[in-house]
């Protein structure tokens, strides 16, 4: 049968094929032909060749998979060339293969995918990792390994894990390199990182060392020290490492991350020559993770027997083995569904008349779509783990080993999986747990970095191009204590300059910089324009009294604030005289009302408790009312003359006198403050007053206050008056809105404090209505901004920041006086606890007293009669209760005296009856 097909193919190549014919075989043929194409002389190809052959042997010896049908594989060498790959693919199309294993090169895969699409033959690549191959453009391309989409995600998470921001990418300038680096850039951007510089190497194996050296010299001049190397073939990558080692770019401070091209060589060709290993010390390498299993271990033992350990088995060899099994399983399902291996002429190829290429020898696989569907629906466990495709035609559970080249070998420092990110635990263990991507769970073992150091590199240095940082500084014409230019060009002084200088001196590296003034020197410049100069590249940083506000943080990064700031309202004030009614100010009206009511309530309670036993609280009703009122208010001065005889009355009075003592003391203290401390008043109470009226408002030229007032508070710009100096502030506030001045001034707190230190007739009205701070501005994602923030925090902790502040801004101040516009009156909330105590005492005393009355009434009342007159029966107890309350009752002291007198009288009478003894 095979000879027949060979002769038949030759016949077709000679042009003796009839285009209308079709070739069919039985639904369960004796042999199923598949093709395999890869580069024989590569690290991946040498392993894949043996792995594919072993897979075919295992399948043909297993009767349970194809049920007697044999699998035949034909291998071709692509030589790593897209052209030869296409030629070999066309040759496969003449031999009626139903699937092709390979190619290993992404470049070749792009070319072959067009052929596969046209002839509907599935193309299963175990090594082409270009992410764009799984697009809808190539429906018959099936990737049976992990995509670089996940590998570049792993790289970006490693970069983010160590806190690096900028990365340099060196790649081979073909489909594999360009698309891989493009994906890396996208993944880094998701984590606010970026590729700051990328350079492609020509995809030519004959690239000489001079080209690579020129590339590395340019890389060495860059700021970033994090280099990702994504190249193929491996010889090109080793050439890069050799030249980098020669240029001292494998020393301390550098970080090299190599993609899985290096791990395939380390696995298959170890041990590498000593000079090669010396050149890659400290490199981080990614390797496709394959789960440990008994089947995998057994295959490794079998592999070593077959190859004698050379070449070693790498992950691509395992994926090649599983790819053959994937085809076998899909073909078996294909036959079970009634699929028939049949081929027909391609009408598109037939239309190419007059061609001498004999393209009509190629035929289309009629049931290619059915076989492709079965391939994508396969679900089994191979040497690499579960073989199952997701909805985007990618293998499930992508994972990578992260290895560190150390000494003569390498060590695994952790894993990355799409399920849980970075970890030191194998992914198979994490799959049994809920996914956890918290920052605490993202861990890796310690790394030996280039230069044989275990300290994590900073990841960047200043560009070694002799250029100084261009730092923009505003040329202020007012408040020069913050920033001012000296006579010598390019030199500045002030609070902000000293903070910057002190912070930059704390950095563990030298920072060359020069100050560049911004502004015309006649008025304060616009700080928004100054910050925008960073985005245009005119300045590398901006320092000064730069407020950190929302619209600026969208375009630049700020350091940790070195001074607190916020907008406040400043207005004139006037002294308020004490006045004739100043004695009423200590209490607010509610406090006065409640206190007066409480005096009356306590008087009534004491009168009720004393009325039966105390003659001072008895008499005609008019006299009782006068006594009650007199007693109530005389307790305020502790001048009451009535004696309290009942125990309950004394209890209430003692508590009440304590309350009165507190009230008197508080009143006296508050009144003293009102009469002796200067009181301030202003018709402006804060920013809300300014929003509601139409008064003119002043602001500092160049400040963000104008934007905030007009855009955030919707205050008309016609009401806003720009002012350029403290003298202008003073003049505008003195004139007032009636004479062309302003009613109030809105500015940032540091400026206002400095202004008030020399102008004592103004005050801050209300509180800060915005909260912000001053910081130094740097380009987005600048590592220098992070280091400067750390230095500013160090200045704050060791006290240097406060000393710089005192040096420039500590002056005689008017702000020590009270800035309150109204006296701090005493309110009811300050005394409710005392009032509650006296209220509870009165309530308890009244309850006890009424219980005593009721008990006495039960003793003296006759039994309840059954006489008619329901109303009289109800009223008699009430009347009796009131009469008992009004009835005179002797106190215990009076009763004691009366009993003593009676006993004395009795004794005298008895002595009168007996004769005296003489």
């Amino acid at each position: 049968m095979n000879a027949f097909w060979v002769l038949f193919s030759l016949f077709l190549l000679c042009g003796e094929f009839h285009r209308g014919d079709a070739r069919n075989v039985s639904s369960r043929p004796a042999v199923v032909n598949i093709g395999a194409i890869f580069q024989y002389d590569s690290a991946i190809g040498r392993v894949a060749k043996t792995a594919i052959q072993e897979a075919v042997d295992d399948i043909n010896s297993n009767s349970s998979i194809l049920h007697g049908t044999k699998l035949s594989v034909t291998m071709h060498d692509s030589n790593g060339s897209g052209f030869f790959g296409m030629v070999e693919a066309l040759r496969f199309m003449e031999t009626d293969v139903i699937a092709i294993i390979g190619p290993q090169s992404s470049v070749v895969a792009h070319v072959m995918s067009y052929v596969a699409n046209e002839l509907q033959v599935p193309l299963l690549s175990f090594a082409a990792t270009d992410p764009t191959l799984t697009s809808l453009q190539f429906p018959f391309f099936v990737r049976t390994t992990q995509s670089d989409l996940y590998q570049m995600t792993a790289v970006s998470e490693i970069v983010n894990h160590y806190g690096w921001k900028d990365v340099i990418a060196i790649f081979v300038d073909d489909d594999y390199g360009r698309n891989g680096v493009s994906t890396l850039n996208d993944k880094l951007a998701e984590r606010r990182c970026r590729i700051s510089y990328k350079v492609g190497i020509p995809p030519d194996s004959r690239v000489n060392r001079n080209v690579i050296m020129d590339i590395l010299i340019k890389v060495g001049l860059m700021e970033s020290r994090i280099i990702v190397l994504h190249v193929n073939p491996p010889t090109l990558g080793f050439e890069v490492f050799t030249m980098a080692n020669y240029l001292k770019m494998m020393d301390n401070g550098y970080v090299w991350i190599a993609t899985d091209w290096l791990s395939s060589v380390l696995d298959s060709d170890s041990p590498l020559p000593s000079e090669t290993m010396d050149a890659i010390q400290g490199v981080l390498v990614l390797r496709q993770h394959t789960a440990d299993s008994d089947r995998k271990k057994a295959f490794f033992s079998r592999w070593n027997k077959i190859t004698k350990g050379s070449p070693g088995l790498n992950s691509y060899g395992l994926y090649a083995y599983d790819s053959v099994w994937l085809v076998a399983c899909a073909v078996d399902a294909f036959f079970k569904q009634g699929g028939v291996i049949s081929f027909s002429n391609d009408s598109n190829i037939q239309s190419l008349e007059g061609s001498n290429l004999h393209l009509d020898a190629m035929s289309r696989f009629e049931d290619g779509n059915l076989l492709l569907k079965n391939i994508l629906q396969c679900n089994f466990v191979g040497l690499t783990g579960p073989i199952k495709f997701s909805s985007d035609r990618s293998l499930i559970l992508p994972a990578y080993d992260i290895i560190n080249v150390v000494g003569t070998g390498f060590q695994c420092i952790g894993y990355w999986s799409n399920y849980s990110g970075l970890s030191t635990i194998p992914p198979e263990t994490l799959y049994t747990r809920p996914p956890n991507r918290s920052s605490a769970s993202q861990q890796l073992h310690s790394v030996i970095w280039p230069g044989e150091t275990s300290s994590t590199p900073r990841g960047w240095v200043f560009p070694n191009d002799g250029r100084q940082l261009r730092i923009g500084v505003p040329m202020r014409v007012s408040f020069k204590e913050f920033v001012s230019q000296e006579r010598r060009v390019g030199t500045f002084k002030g609070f902000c300059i000293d903070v910057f200088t002190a912070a930059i001196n704390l950095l563990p590296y030298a920072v060359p910089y020069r100050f560049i003034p911004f502004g015309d020197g006649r008025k304060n410049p616009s700080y928004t324009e100054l910050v925008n100069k960073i985005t245009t590249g005119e300045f590398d940083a901006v320092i000064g009294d730069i407020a950190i506000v929302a619209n600026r943080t969208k375009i630049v990064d700020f350091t940790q604030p070195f001074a607190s700031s916020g907008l406040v309202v400043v207005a004139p004030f006037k002294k308020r005289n004490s006045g004739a009614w100043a004695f009423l100010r200590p209490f607010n009206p509610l406090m006065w009302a409640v206190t007066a009511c409480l005096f009356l309530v306590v008087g009534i309670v004491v009168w009720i408790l004393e009325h039966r036993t105390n003659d001072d609280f008895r008499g005609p009703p008019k006299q009782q009312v006068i006594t009650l009122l007199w007693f109530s208010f005389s307790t305020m001065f502790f001048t009451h003359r009535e004696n309290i005889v009942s125990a309950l009355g004394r209890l209430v009075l003692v508590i009440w006198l304590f309350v009165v003592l507190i009230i008197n003391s508080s009143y006296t203290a508050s009144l003293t403050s009102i009469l002796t401390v200067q009181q301030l008043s202003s018709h402006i109470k804060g920013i809300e007053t300014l929003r509601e009226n139409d008064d003119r408002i002043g602001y500092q030229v160049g400040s963000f206050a104008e934007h905030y007032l007009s855009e955030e508070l919707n205050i008309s710009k016609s009401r806003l008056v720009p002012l350029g100096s403290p003298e202008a502030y003073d003049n505008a506030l003195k004139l007032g809105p009636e004479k062309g001045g302003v009613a109030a001034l809105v500015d940032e707190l540091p400026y206002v404090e400095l202004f008030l230190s020399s102008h004592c007739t103004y005050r801050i009205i209300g509180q800060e209505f915005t909260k912000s701070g001053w910081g130094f501005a740097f380009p987005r994602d600048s590592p220098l901004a992070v280091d400067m923030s750390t230095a500013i925090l160090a200045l704050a902790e060791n006290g240097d920041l406060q000393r710089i502040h005192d040096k420039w801004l500590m002056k005689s101040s008017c702000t020590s006086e009270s800035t309150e516009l109204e006296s701090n009156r005493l309110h009811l909330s300050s005394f409710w606890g005392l009032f509650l105590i006296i209220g509870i005492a009165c309530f308890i005393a009244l309850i006890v007293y009424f219980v005593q009355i009721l008990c006495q009434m039960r003793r003296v009342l006759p039994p309840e009669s059954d006489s008619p007159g329901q109303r009289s029966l109800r009223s008699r107890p009430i009347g009796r209760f009131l009469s008992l309350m009004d009835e005179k009752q002797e106190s215990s002291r009076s009763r004691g005296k009366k009993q003593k007198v009676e006993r004395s009288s009795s004794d005298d009478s008895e002595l009168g009856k007996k004769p005296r003894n003489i």
Side-chain angles (χ1 to χ4, degrees):
M1 178 66 71
N2 288 335
F4 170 76
W5 285 114
V6 171
L7 293 174
F8 193 60
S9 299
L10 292 174
F11 177 76
L12 292 177
L13 289 173
C14 293
E16 298 179 4
F17 175 74
H18 298 285
R19 297 181 182 179
D21 294 344
R23 294 164 286 172
N24 296 285
V25 296
S26 64
S27 60
R28 276 278 185 177
V31 177
V32 173
N33 295 318
I34 64 173
I37 182 170
F38 46 85
Q39 187 176 352
Y40 286 176
D41 62 348
S42 64
I44 296 175
R46 288 191 296 270
V47 175
K49 184 175 183 180
T50 303
I52 291 173
Q53 190 58 57
E54 290 300 311
V56 172
D57 293 342
D58 290 345
I59 292 170
N60 290 335
S61 61
N62 189 339
S63 60
S64 64
I65 181 66
L66 288 177
H67 304 287
T69 299
K70 297 298 181 180
L71 194 65
S72 176
V73 59
T74 303
M75 300 184 187
H76 291 307
D77 185 3
S78 67
N79 291 316
S81 167
F83 173 75
F84 286 108
M86 180 183 66
V87 171
E88 297 299 336
L90 295 176
R91 289 178 59 191
F92 280 133
M93 298 303 104
E94 299 171 352
T95 57
D96 294 343
V97 297
I98 62 171
I100 300 175
I101 307 296
Q104 73 185 64
S105 168
S106 297
V107 176
V108 179
H110 271 279
V111 177
M112 291 186 60
S113 294
Y114 290 103
V115 179
N117 288 349
E118 183 63 30
L119 302 180
Q120 297 186 359
V121 175
L123 187 64
L124 290 79
S125 177
F126 58 87
T129 57
D130 179 4
T132 64
L133 285 169
T134 52
S135 64
L136 299 177
Q137 183 181 8
F138 306 119
F140 279 85
F141 176 85
V142 180
R143 194 195 317 276
T144 57
T145 187
Q146 300 298 343
S147 169
D148 277 342
L149 171 67
Y150 302 109
Q151 180 170 213
M152 296 309 176
T153 303
V155 172
S156 65
E157 293 200 14
I158 293 172
V159 171
N160 185 64
H161 173 73
Y162 289 110
W164 302 318
K165 294 299 181 181
D166 288 352
V167 171
I168 294 175
I170 301 176
F171 60 97
V172 60
D173 196 4
D174 58 14
D175 293 332
Y176 162 78
R178 286 191 302 270
N179 295 330
V181 169
S182 176
T183 302
L184 174 62
N185 196 34
D186 293 340
K187 294 302 177 182
L188 287 171
E190 293 176 3
R191 293 155 180 83
R192 289 202 65 182
C193 303
R194 63 178 183 135
I195 296 178
S196 59
Y197 181 70
K198 57 183 178 179
V199 56
I201 301 176
D204 188 348
S205 59
R206 294 171 295 178
V207 173
N208 56 45
R209 289 192 171 190
N210 292 333
V211 174
I212 297 176
M213 181 174 289
D214 291 341
I215 290 173
L216 292 179
I217 289 174
K218 293 178 181 178
V219 169
L221 295 176
M222 297 296 112
E223 180 178 289
S224 177
R225 286 295 183 261
I226 314 301
I227 304 171
V228 177
L229 187 58
H230 185 57
V231 296
N232 194 43
T235 54
L236 184 59
F238 286 121
E239 192 67 36
V240 171
F241 280 127
T242 301
M243 295 307 302
N245 193 44
Y246 173 77
L247 295 173
K248 306 298 182 182
M249 296 177 65
M250 299 297 296
D251 291 346
N252 191 10
Y254 282 90
V255 175
W256 287 82
I257 302 175
T259 52
D260 57 5
W261 65 267
L262 180 54
S263 60
S264 64
V265 179
L266 292 174
D267 288 335
S268 61
D269 294 342
S270 290
L272 295 176
S274 59
E275 60 273 11
T276 302
M277 292 301 298
D278 291 341
I280 61 175
Q281 290 296 301
V283 176
L284 291 184
V285 188
L286 276 78
R287 176 176 61 191
Q288 297 188 20
H289 177 77
T290 55
D292 289 332
S293 63
D294 294 338
R295 185 181 176 190
K296 177 182 171 182
K297 293 177 182 178
F299 189 78
F300 264 93
S301 298
R302 174 179 162 191
W303 181 273
N304 291 330
K305 292 179 181 178
I306 296 172
T307 64
K308 306 300 181 182
S310 180
L313 182 60
N314 55 38
S315 59
Y316 287 109
L318 297 175
Y319 280 111
Y321 180 92
D322 285 346
S323 299
V324 181
W325 273 89
L326 176 62
V327 172
C329 292
V331 169
D332 186 56
F334 172 81
F335 288 145
K336 290 179 180 179
Q337 295 174 7
V340 176
I341 297 178
S342 62
F343 297 86
S344 64
N345 298 113
D346 189 344
S347 58
N348 293 328
I349 296 177
Q350 289 180 353
S351 63
L352 299 176
E353 297 181 358
S355 173
N356 296 323
L357 296 177
H358 302 292
L359 297 178
D360 53 0
M362 295 183 297
S363 55
R364 175 181 297 197
F365 182 21
E366 291 291 338
D367 284 339
N369 283 299
L370 180 60
L371 180 60
L372 176 64
K373 177 182 177 182
N374 282 283
I375 290 173
L376 296 176
Q377 291 178 349
C378 280
N379 185 6
F380 68 96
V381 178
L383 295 181
T384 59
I387 302 297
K388 184 180 179 180
F389 293 94
S390 60
S391 58
D392 62 350
R393 295 187 299 155
S394 298
L395 287 177
I396 62 171
L397 305 179
Y400 285 84
D401 301 333
I402 303 172
I403 60 180
N404 180 207
V405 179
V406 180
T408 59
F410 54 85
Q411 61 182 4
C412 181
I413 63 167
Y415 308 90
W416 176 89
S417 68
N418 199 43
Y419 183 76
S420 56
L422 302 174
S423 72
T424 55
I425 304 173
E428 294 76 34
T429 304
L430 297 177
Y431 294 150
T432 61
R433 306 174 185 176
N436 183 7
R437 281 188 171 268
S438 64
S439 58
S441 66
Q442 304 299 296
Q443 298 178 352
L444 293 174
H445 291 302
S446 59
V447 180
I448 303 300
W449 303 99
E452 299 183 356
T453 177
S454 58
S455 299
T456 303
R458 189 171 69 247
W460 69 280
V461 295
F462 280 97
N464 189 21
D465 55 5
R467 188 176 68 87
Q468 295 177 321
L469 286 180
R470 298 162 299 173
I471 299 179
V473 184
M475 294 180 62
R476 295 196 58 86
V477 298
S478 63
F479 297 108
K480 293 188 176 182
E481 291 84 353
F482 297 105
V483 178
S484 64
Q485 186 176 16
E486 296 185 308
R487 293 183 178 180
R488 188 174 58 176
V489 177
T491 58
F492 290 82
K493 64 180 181 179
F495 169 68
C496 300
I497 301 299
D498 282 3
V499 172
F500 174 79
T501 304
I504 210 165
N505 287 337
L506 290 180
L507 298 181
Y509 46 85
V511 180
Y513 64 89
R514 59 188 177 96
F515 292 139
I516 301 176
F518 177 79
D520 56 12
R522 294 188 296 272
K523 64 178 181 179
N524 294 333
S526 170
Y527 281 33
T528 300
E529 293 181 8
L530 176 59
V531 171
N532 287 335
K533 294 294 183 180
I534 296 178
T535 62
T536 61
E538 185 172 340
F539 294 141
D540 299 315
V542 166
I543 68 170
D545 44 341
I546 313 295
I548 304 173
V549 294
N551 62 333
R552 296 174 185 171
T553 58
K554 295 177 181 178
I555 58 176
V556 297
D557 280 351
F558 282 93
T559 62
Q560 174 77 17
F562 60 87
S564 60
S565 177
L567 294 179
V568 293
V569 177
V570 178
F573 73 94
K574 62 180 180 179
K575 297 180 180 179
R576 187 175 62 186
N577 297 326
S578 54
W581 300 99
F583 68 91
L584 294 176
R585 292 180 188 170
F587 293 159
N588 67 350
L590 180 60
M591 181 67 184
W592 279 116
V594 173
T595 302
C597 291
L598 200 57
F599 271 101
L600 291 175
V601 169
V602 172
I604 293 171
V605 171
V606 172
W607 180 86
I608 293 174
L609 298 176
E610 294 292 318
H611 180 68
R612 298 185 67 205
T613 59
N614 194 335
D615 291 337
D616 292 338
F617 292 88
R618 299 187 64 82
K622 180 178 179 181
Q623 180 181 351
Q624 293 300 300
V625 172
I626 295 174
T627 301
L628 188 151
L629 294 175
W630 165 255
F631 176 82
S632 298
F633 292 101
S634 63
T635 56
M636 178 184 298
F637 310 103
F638 306 98
T639 59
H640 55 282
R641 294 174 298 177
E642 293 78 9
N643 294 322
I644 306 301
V645 298
S646 66
L648 294 175
R650 291 174 178 175
L651 174 66
V652 172
L653 184 62
V654 168
I655 298 176
W656 172 242
L657 291 178
F658 175 74
V659 173
V660 170
L661 176 64
I662 300 300
I663 293 176
N664 282 342
S665 301
S666 302
Y667 175 86
T668 303
S670 181
L671 183 60
T672 302
S673 175
I674 290 174
L675 296 178
T676 58
V677 178
Q678 175 179 278
Q679 301 296 303
L680 312 178
S681 67
S682 173
H683 73 283
I684 297 175
K685 306 303 180 184
I687 188 63
E688 293 301 326
T689 305
L690 296 177
R691 294 183 65 180
E692 294 170 358
N693 60 32
D694 294 328
D695 291 340
R696 288 155 57 91
I697 305 170
Y699 69 91
Q700 184 181 173
V701 175
S703 171
F704 78 97
E706 178 189 14
H707 174 82
Y708 185 86
L709 293 173
S710 61
E711 299 298 331
E712 301 296 334
L713 300 184
N714 297 320
I715 295 176
S716 173
K717 288 188 177 182
S718 62
R719 294 176 53 195
L720 303 180
V721 180
L723 303 172
S725 65
E727 292 75 19
Y729 291 181
D730 185 33
N731 294 332
L733 289 172
K734 283 181 179 178
L735 289 174
E738 297 82 5
K739 298 181 179 180
V742 297
L745 173 73
V746 175
D747 204 354
E748 296 177 63
L749 183 60
Y751 304 121
V752 170
E753 290 178 341
L754 197 59
F755 171 70
L756 295 181
S757 67
S758 57
H759 297 79
C760 300
T761 57
Y762 309 106
R763 287 292 182 269
I764 296 175
I765 309 300
Q767 304 295 324
E768 292 181 69
F769 54 91
T770 66
K771 292 291 184 180
S772 62
W774 288 352
F776 303 135
F778 290 88
R780 292 297 297 270
D781 303 320
S782 171
L784 185 56
V786 178
D787 288 354
M788 285 292 288
S789 295
T790 304
I792 290 172
L793 289 175
L795 290 176
E797 292 173 359
N798 61 26
D800 287 346
L801 189 59
Q802 184 61 42
R803 283 188 283 271
I804 297 173
H805 176 276
D806 296 344
K807 171 186 174 182
W808 289 98
L809 307 179
M810 184 62 68
K811 297 186 177 182
S812 58
S813 174
C814 305
T815 57
S816 60
E817 301 177 9
S818 173
T819 60
E820 296 292 335
L821 296 183
E822 293 191 11
S823 60
N824 291 324
R825 290 185 169 185
L826 298 176
H827 298 270
L828 181 62
S829 59
S830 303
F831 298 91
W832 72 269
L834 289 172
F835 291 169
L836 180 63
I837 293 174
I838 187 62
I840 293 174
C842 292
F843 179 76
I844 294 175
L846 289 175
I847 292 296
V848 173
Y849 176 76
F850 288 143
V851 170
Q852 291 176 350
I853 295 294
L854 291 175
C855 292
Q856 186 177 358
M857 188 176 68
R858 291 181 63 87
R859 289 196 301 269
V860 301
L861 282 177
E864 189 175 351
S865 65
D866 296 333
S867 61
Q870 186 71 17
R871 182 175 180 181
S872 63
L873 289 175
R874 292 180 179 176
S875 61
R876 286 174 57 191
I878 296 175
R880 183 60 180 165
F881 179 79
L882 295 177
S883 65
L884 282 175
M885 288 185 60
D886 190 55
E887 184 178 282
K888 179 69 172 70
Q889 180 181 0
E890 294 181 353
S891 65
S892 58
R893 180 183 297 179
S894 299
R895 288 196 300 269
K897 290 180 178 181
K898 184 176 182 180
Q899 291 175 0
K900 185 175 181 181
V901 171
E902 290 177 351
R903 285 197 299 270
S904 177
S905 299
S906 176
D907 292 342
D908 291 341
S909 63
E910 290 179 356
L911 290 174
K913 293 178 182 180
K914 293 182 179 180
R916 295 181 179 179
N917 294 329
I918 301 175

